[in-house]
Amino acid sequence: TYCFGLATYRPKATYSIEEFANVWDDIFADKRVLLVNPPDWRLGEEKALEQFRQRCGGCRKISPMLYGEGELLPPFRRAKQLFMIHPNALPFQAAVGQEWPHHFVGVRTAAAEAKANVIAVAWGPFGDILVAELACLSLQAIDVGNLLDILNGYEKDVDVDSANLYDSPRNLTTGGAG
């Protein structure tokens, strides 16, 4: 089953970041997780690879396809093992449609090599597509979106219910055009 939603955004005033991280740690508890999170090459090679290493807890290359053996960071602190797909395996952005089958097979191959129970995906709009494709093959996958940044202090939580969503083109107080 594929479910798209905003589950990775912290509910307002319900949990602290640490409480929210603990809930997510439970989701990945005792799982072998493959994290699909291509580096942001727009940052430049050095910063992109530094970001990659931070997200996988200082992991190291363990095979031509996988990185692992890093410190387990939220939301994977209770995972049995965490692997990341090689930083050069997927583009950060602009995956061309004709290249999609190659990228998809690469992820499936990495998941098989890692013997992953679940595939966590943080790959922008391509993450939605990848999670749906994996779910169609009965593989457990979840789009963790910006969850990694929120839980590890790299990005502020996102208020998806903010009043500014309604400021334009309609003003809710008058019911008219903004």
Side-chain angles (χ1 to χ4, degrees), residues 74-94:
F76 309 112
R77 292 179 294 196
R78 295 190 53 221
K80 184 180 260 181
Q81 266 183 303
L82 174 67
F83 301 92
M84 275 185 85
I85 196 165
H86 192 288
N88 294 321
L90 300 169
F92 174 73
Q93 59 187 21

Side-chain angles (χ1 to χ4, degrees), residues 8-9 37 55 120-124 142-150:
T8 58
Y9 291 93
N37 184 216
R55 291 197 170 172
V121 181
W123 191 19
I142 185 166
D143 185 341
V144 294
N146 67 349
L147 179 68
L148 302 176
D149 289 336
I150 291 170

